[in-house]
Amino acid sequence: MSILVVGSVAFDSLETPSGKRERVLGGATTHFALSASFFTDVRVVGVVGEDFLPEHEAVLTAKGVDTSGIERAPGLSFHWTGSYLTDLNAADTLATDLNVFAAFEPKIPASYLDSEFLFLANIDPVLQLRVRQQMPKVKMVAGDTMNYWIAAHRENLLKVLAELDVLLINDGEAKMLSGESNGLRAAEGVLALGPKALVVKHGEYGSTLYSNGKVFRTPTLPLHEVVDPTGAGDSFAGGFYGYIASQPELTPDVMKTAMFYGSVMGSFAVEAFGTERLQRTTRAEIDARFAELKAISHL
Amino acid sequence: MSILVVGSVAFDSLETPSGKRERVLGGATTHFALSASFFTDVRVVGVVGEDFLPEHEAVLTAKGVDTSGIERAPGLSFHWTGSYLTDLNAADTLATDLNVFAAFEPKIPASYLDSEFLFLANIDPVLQLRVRQQMPKVKMVAGDTMNYWIAAHRENLLKVLAELDVLLINDGEAKMLSGESNGLRAAEGVLALGPKALVVKHGEYGSTLYSNGKVFRTPTLPLHEVVDPTGAGDSFAGGFYGYIASQPELTPDVMKTAMFYGSVMGSFAVEAFGTERLQRTTRAEIDARFAELKAISHL
């Protein structure tokens, strides 16, 4: 079945202990779409500028991603500059040039309206809600957000949370959103705000699913080098939601398996700058890492 | 089979977000022994002062722990004062009164010499090595250490590491000991220093076993309240090593299962101040949490 993902398509300039890259293809939607494309059909809604060339679009279309919902606007694409030199688990934002993204108004092509799954990547909750309202027949809605919206746009964000089947955020966001410092209480606090299920990501330590009153923990694969953590969470979300969309029914077992695929896809994403590693990932590699993740966590 | 544990028996004065306690029974050896006592026979070597009363000793003997190796010295017992008000994952040491512990010279009773398993809790590596040399026939040696010994007594510590079948430390200690910031590289760096296997504890996020070139990750149980993290690592070690000592053979499966029991015992330890929760833990509770830990991590 098809996933419609709405959010940023961007260029990232990055500095990590492994090196430096200027203007590599990035954006939450790009990482999500590439990751999910291994499991199901993916359709993208976003906006780019004149610097988004056919070679950039080809990164997505080569994986079968439908890019007909990517709008072209005069000017430059969203450009984020960040550094992980201090801490690989937390980016220092050096510059955020919104460019054409500042006036982003998601437009959903008619050909996308039959998408069964909707993913609202991290954007202004007002836009997330507007997209959600344009997709009334969707079977499932998942989404992401960040500290900025939690702190400064809480009322709008709460309206989005009430619409979500699954919210995917990190530890710090869960604690901020709930006002609780204990992980379990934070998760319960977030669930009380509306989402039916919650995935909390713990960076290098794994992630936890809270769903139907149950908890499920997934580890990460040990990696010798995290080259670039940018997009790890979006790649996790792509693997998680892509697997769910590929299954005939949403059972607890499907949710758990989806957590494992999320972790697997995140492990690829961080092994190279930008989308490099996801571009050359193979299905055989995914299957091998899934088996490895099970082997390192199951008695 | 019997475990001999050597290290501190102490009183702790603690402040956490859940409250305050003065001079509760603590010490690495106490937490370890109580935890391991659910799985196997435990013998303790330590030193206490005149403030260590029959009621304190009874906490250990009530669980069948052999306390004949606890030496009485004139003066007061080791007393640690710490606060977790800033961060439940990292204690602020407010005072360390070594008292009788300053002159601790472990003496192993003749009745302990047939112990098959030795646990060197976190003490001066010179003493750890001396104990190890007094137990040449032991079947397995495991141990702990801390940042202080890593930073200021490295040469002595390296001699201990060469003797260990299993070293149990936390993330920060593994990174400090190896000089590596990546978790996997840090573990490989530590293993290169001598221990045959390594357990790295990630606090609330679980723990990882590195053994025979393989990795095994264990989550933690979600808890609504961490009342007092003191002794969580020692309780983990007690469950881990206690289970190993209870098994006829040391197989990879035994090591993995031991990781789960370590996590289970750590989950009890933090639910009350000092040894309170371990004192009233039942075997049925341990079995229930073991099953729960499996349920929340296995597909």
Side-chain angles (χ1 to χ4, degrees), chain B:
Chain B
M1 284 184 281
S2 292
I3 298 178
L4 165 57
V5 52
V6 183
S8 64
V9 178
F11 291 103
D12 294 336
S13 291
L14 306 157
E15 195 167 27
T16 84
S18 303
K20 220 174 152 165
R21 286 293 187 287
E22 294 291 328
R23 302 184 60 78
V24 296
L25 183 60
T29 299
T30 309
H31 293 288
F32 178 95
L34 281 176
S35 175
S37 74
F38 289 94
F39 302 92
T40 195
D41 292 337
V42 185
R43 296 154 168 184
V44 176
V45 164
V47 64
V48 294
E50 294 153 61
D51 49 354
F52 188 81
L53 305 175
E55 70 200 62
H56 300 121
E57 187 161 12
V59 169
L60 291 165
T61 53
K63 298 287 179 196
V65 174
D66 187 337
T67 57
S68 56
I70 297 184
E71 183 191 343
R72 314 299 169 123
L76 293 173
S77 303
F78 182 15
H79 178 214
W80 179 73
T81 307
S83 170
Y84 297 90
L85 291 183
T86 314
D87 182 358
L88 265 177
N89 290 304
D92 286 327
T93 292
L94 304 178
T96 303
D97 304 309
L98 291 174
N99 298 326
V100 300
F101 197 63
F104 181 39
E105 184 58 57
K107 294 169 198 70
I108 299 165
S111 62
Y112 283 13
L113 291 173
D114 62 351
S115 307
E116 292 93 344
F117 292 82
L118 175 62
F119 187 77
L120 304 167
N122 166 35
I123 49 170
D124 186 335
V126 169
L127 299 184
Q128 289 181 315
L129 198 64
R130 222 171 276 166
V131 169
R132 200 276 171 260
Q133 285 161 348
Q134 289 175 67
M135 300 292 291
K137 290 183 194 161
V138 89
K139 190 174 152 183
M140 189 170 174
V141 189
D144 186 10
T145 191
M146 71 183 288
N147 49 9
Y148 175 72
W149 309 116
I150 296 170
H153 297 256
R154 191 178 174 89
E155 286 310 307
N156 292 334
L157 180 60
L158 290 179
K159 290 179 200 158
V160 176
L161 296 186
E163 296 287 328
L164 294 183
D165 294 292
V166 189
L167 172 67
L168 296 99
I169 50 180
N170 67 33
D171 275 313
E173 290 156 355
K175 288 173 184 178
M176 194 176 176
L177 193 48
S178 63
E180 296 277 356
S181 61
N182 170 282
L184 180 55
R185 284 181 191 272
E188 291 172 346
V190 171
L191 287 169
L193 298 176
K196 289 195 189 68
L198 172 68
V199 174
V200 180
K201 293 162 287 175
H202 315 305
E204 63 179 302
Y205 299 118
S207 47
T208 304
L209 166 70
Y210 301 88
S211 178
N212 289 317
K214 305 255 187 189
V215 172
F216 187 72
R217 306 255 210 205
T218 310
T220 56
L221 285 158
L223 298 174
H224 277 108
E225 190 179 1
V226 172
V227 172
D228 173 15
T230 315
D234 303 307
S235 302
F236 179 102
F240 172 82
Y241 209 42
Y243 177 76
I244 287 175
S246 76
Q247 298 300 300
E249 220 188 323
L250 184 65
T251 65
D253 280 351
V254 165
M255 291 283 272
K256 292 177 189 175
T257 305
M259 289 288 287
F260 266 60
Y261 279 113
S263 184
V264 163
M265 297 313 293
S267 79
F268 289 116
V270 302
E271 287 188 318
F273 281 96
T275 57
E276 279 173 37
R277 185 65 180 92
L278 284 181
Q279 282 179 250
R280 56 182 160 83
T281 297
T282 65
R283 182 69 216 196
E285 285 182 314
I286 294 171
D287 294 342
R289 288 208 179 174
F290 182 91
E292 192 188 341
L293 198 59
K294 207 171 152 182
I296 69 164
S297 61
H298 284 45
L299 292 176

Side-chain angles (χ1 to χ4, degrees), chain A:
Chain A
M1 285 184 278
S2 292
I3 298 179
L4 166 56
V5 52
V6 183
S8 63
V9 179
F11 291 103
D12 294 336
S13 291
L14 307 157
E15 195 166 27
T16 84
S18 303
K20 222 175 148 164
R21 287 292 188 286
E22 294 292 327
R23 303 183 58 78
V24 297
L25 183 61
T29 299
T30 309
H31 292 288
F32 177 95
L34 281 177
S35 175
S37 73
F38 289 93
F39 303 92
T40 195
D41 293 335
V42 185
R43 298 154 168 185
V44 175
V45 165
V47 64
V48 295
E50 294 153 62
D51 49 354
F52 188 81
L53 305 176
E55 72 202 59
H56 301 122
E57 187 161 14
V59 169
L60 291 165
T61 53
K63 298 287 179 195
V65 174
D66 187 337
T67 57
S68 57
I70 297 185
E71 183 192 345
R72 314 296 169 126
L76 294 174
S77 302
F78 182 16
H79 178 214
W80 179 73
T81 306
S83 170
Y84 297 90
L85 291 184
T86 313
D87 183 358
L88 265 175
N89 290 304
D92 287 327
T93 291
L94 303 178
T96 303
D97 304 309
L98 291 174
N99 300 325
V100 299
F101 197 64
F104 181 40
E105 184 57 59
K107 295 167 197 71
I108 299 165
S111 63
Y112 284 13
L113 291 174
D114 63 351
S115 307
E116 292 93 343
F117 292 82
L118 175 61
F119 188 76
L120 304 168
N122 167 35
I123 49 172
D124 186 335
V126 169
L127 300 184
Q128 290 180 314
L129 199 63
R130 222 171 277 166
V131 169
R132 200 277 170 257
Q133 285 161 349
Q134 288 175 67
M135 300 292 292
K137 290 182 193 162
V138 88
K139 191 173 151 183
M140 189 170 175
V141 190
D144 187 9
T145 191
M146 71 183 289
N147 49 7
Y148 174 72
W149 310 116
I150 295 169
H153 297 255
R154 190 178 175 89
E155 285 311 306
N156 293 333
L157 180 59
L158 291 179
K159 290 180 201 157
V160 176
L161 296 187
E163 296 287 328
L164 294 183
D165 294 292
V166 189
L167 172 68
L168 296 99
I169 50 180
N170 66 33
D171 276 313
E173 290 157 355
K175 288 173 182 177
M176 195 176 174
L177 192 48
S178 64
E180 294 278 355
S181 61
N182 170 282
L184 179 56
R185 284 181 191 272
E188 290 171 347
V190 171
L191 287 169
L193 298 176
K196 290 195 188 66
L198 171 68
V199 174
V200 180
K201 294 163 286 175
H202 315 306
E204 63 178 305
Y205 299 119
S207 48
T208 304
L209 166 71
Y210 301 88
S211 178
N212 289 317
K214 304 254 187 190
V215 172
F216 187 73
R217 307 256 210 204
T218 310
T220 55
L221 285 158
L223 299 174
H224 277 108
E225 190 179 0
V226 172
V227 172
D228 173 16
T230 315
D234 303 307
S235 303
F236 179 102
F240 173 81
Y241 208 41
Y243 177 76
I244 287 175
S246 76
Q247 297 301 300
E249 219 187 324
L250 183 67
T251 66
D253 280 351
V254 165
M255 292 282 272
K256 291 177 190 176
T257 305
M259 289 288 287
F260 266 59
Y261 279 113
S263 184
V264 164
M265 298 314 293
S267 79
F268 289 116
V270 302
E271 286 188 318
F273 280 97
T275 58
E276 280 173 36
R277 185 65 180 92
L278 283 181
Q279 283 179 249
R280 58 183 159 84
T281 296
T282 65
R283 182 68 217 195
E285 284 181 316
I286 295 171
D287 294 342
R289 288 207 180 175
F290 182 91
E292 191 188 342
L293 198 60
K294 207 171 153 183
I296 68 164
S297 62
H298 284 46
L299 291 176

